[in-house]
Amino acid sequence: MFPLAARAVTVRLGGHAALDGVDLILDGRQKVVVLGANGAGKSVLLRTLHGLIAPTSGTIEWAASTTRPADQAMVFQRPVLLRRSAIANIEYALAVNGIGGAARQARARDAIERVGLATVAARQARVLSGGEQQRLALARAWSLRPRLMFLDEPTASLDPFAAAAVERVIGEIHAAGTAIVLSTHVLGFARRIADEIVFIHEGRVVERTPADRFFTRPQTGEAARFLKGELPWNGISPSLA
Ligand SMILES: Nc1ncnc2c1ncn2[C@@H]1O[C@H](COP(=O)(O)OP(=O)(O)OP(=O)(O)O)[C@@H](O)[C@H]1O
Ligand SMILES: [Mg+2]
């Protein structure tokens, strides 16, 4: 799985380069936060690193292999849940991955408790709120004990209490030995959780820096403007937009 290497990766979608010449090598030790404005290419980058989008040019390799390893998982910005109860969504994922019997039930229960959803375990997954669905998707991915997890905007639709709980869970998952690569555009969250920042702007990695340095001494004008809330969208500053 590691090193996970993207070399000169360009992804064209709908006639436009969502990623443009990305070089990135991850060793899995640090909590990596992909930071950037709406539309910068964060989701496309995570999907590409997870092997869901094939680069238009360039290569992705996991430990020098072009086959994506089975023990990595991704939690999507808009999770896809099955038409069954919350807990059954987790049990199903475990069953598909060959985990049965008492172990399946214990793991599903543990995962749903960790994200604070024990009280809604029996409810239909699709009637859960957006934030609850996001936490359920996190629990489902975690129940599989992947070695690497991609989390796309894991706190985007969460209230402050749920966001704090998810932050704690992500810390626990990492402490238990799972490598974490997550995306966000929320500075406070990035600052609390990141060891390393990959800052992307218009499909290009413009900066990759230890988190403490990124927030105090960004190396590029784009990053400095983003940190000040001034990053222009299509050349129009937010104050004028
Ligand atoms: N399937 C697609 N077809 C065409 N264009 C796409 C497709 N997916 C993404 N894009 C474009 O690629 C760019 C990057 O999209 P992406 O979803 O990665 O942004 P993001 O950084 O995750 O933004 P957000 O913060 O809003 O989640 C955007 O301009 C988007 O419109
Ligand atoms: Mg996104």
Side-chain angles (χ1 to χ4, degrees):
M1 164 163 321
F2 295 111
L4 199 180
R7 295 196 177 88
V9 166
T10 291
V11 171
R12 297 192 69 81
L13 294 170
H16 135 109
L19 295 181
D20 184 6
V22 168
D23 286 298
L24 193 62
I25 297 183
L26 304 177
D27 67 11
R29 291 195 197 96
Q30 311 262 308
K31 282 199 278 341
V32 176
V33 171
V34 177
L35 191 62
N38 291 141
K42 302 181 295 297
S43 295
V44 173
L45 177 60
L46 263 54
R47 283 171 183 265
T48 305
L49 293 174
H50 189 42
L52 296 176
I53 299 177
T56 311
S57 60
T59 57
I60 303 280
E61 286 184 352
W62 299 266
S65 161
T66 53
T67 306
R68 160 166 52 121
D71 54 353
Q72 69 181 37
M74 178 157 175
V75 180
F76 297 98
Q77 196 165 353
R78 298 190 196 94
V80 182
L81 298 169
L82 302 176
R83 205 180 292 280
R84 49 184 86 197
S85 72
I87 190 97
N89 265 268
I90 302 178
E91 288 168 352
Y92 180 80
L94 288 164
V96 167
N97 283 274
I99 295 148
R104 184 194 304 168
Q105 284 181 359
R107 274 213 213 177
R109 190 45 65 185
D110 170 63
I112 209 159
E113 280 171 6
R114 257 174 208 276
V115 298
L117 291 181
T119 55
V120 300
R123 214 173 282 174
Q124 275 295 314
R126 290 184 176 183
V127 306
L128 297 178
S129 76
E132 288 168 345
Q133 291 195 4
Q134 234 177 353
R135 283 146 72 196
L136 177 58
L138 175 63
R140 181 174 60 181
W142 165 239
S143 73
L144 301 173
R145 304 289 186 271
R147 270 187 65 204
L148 166 59
M149 264 173 98
F150 294 103
L151 305 170
D152 196 5
E153 305 270 3
T155 62
S157 40
L158 304 185
D159 67 47
F161 296 104
V166 163
E167 264 182 60
R168 200 178 54 242
V169 171
I170 293 169
E172 288 170 11
I173 290 172
H174 185 254
T178 295
I180 298 285
V181 178
L182 67 84
S183 81
T184 187
H185 58 269
V186 181
L187 290 176
F189 174 49
R191 195 168 194 151
R192 285 190 298 277
I193 204 144
D195 299 317
E196 207 172 32
I197 299 284
V198 171
F199 177 70
I200 72 172
H201 177 61
E202 294 177 354
R204 282 172 293 115
V205 172
V206 296
E207 197 161 330
R208 179 195 182 170
T209 326
D212 47 0
R213 181 139 54 94
F214 180 83
F215 289 103
T216 53
R217 277 172 292 138
Q219 306 294 298
T220 59
E222 285 96 341
R225 283 195 292 280
F226 181 77
L227 288 171
K228 284 194 264 169
E230 286 173 3
L231 194 72
W233 284 275
N234 305 320
I236 304 166
S237 84
S239 58
L240 299 175

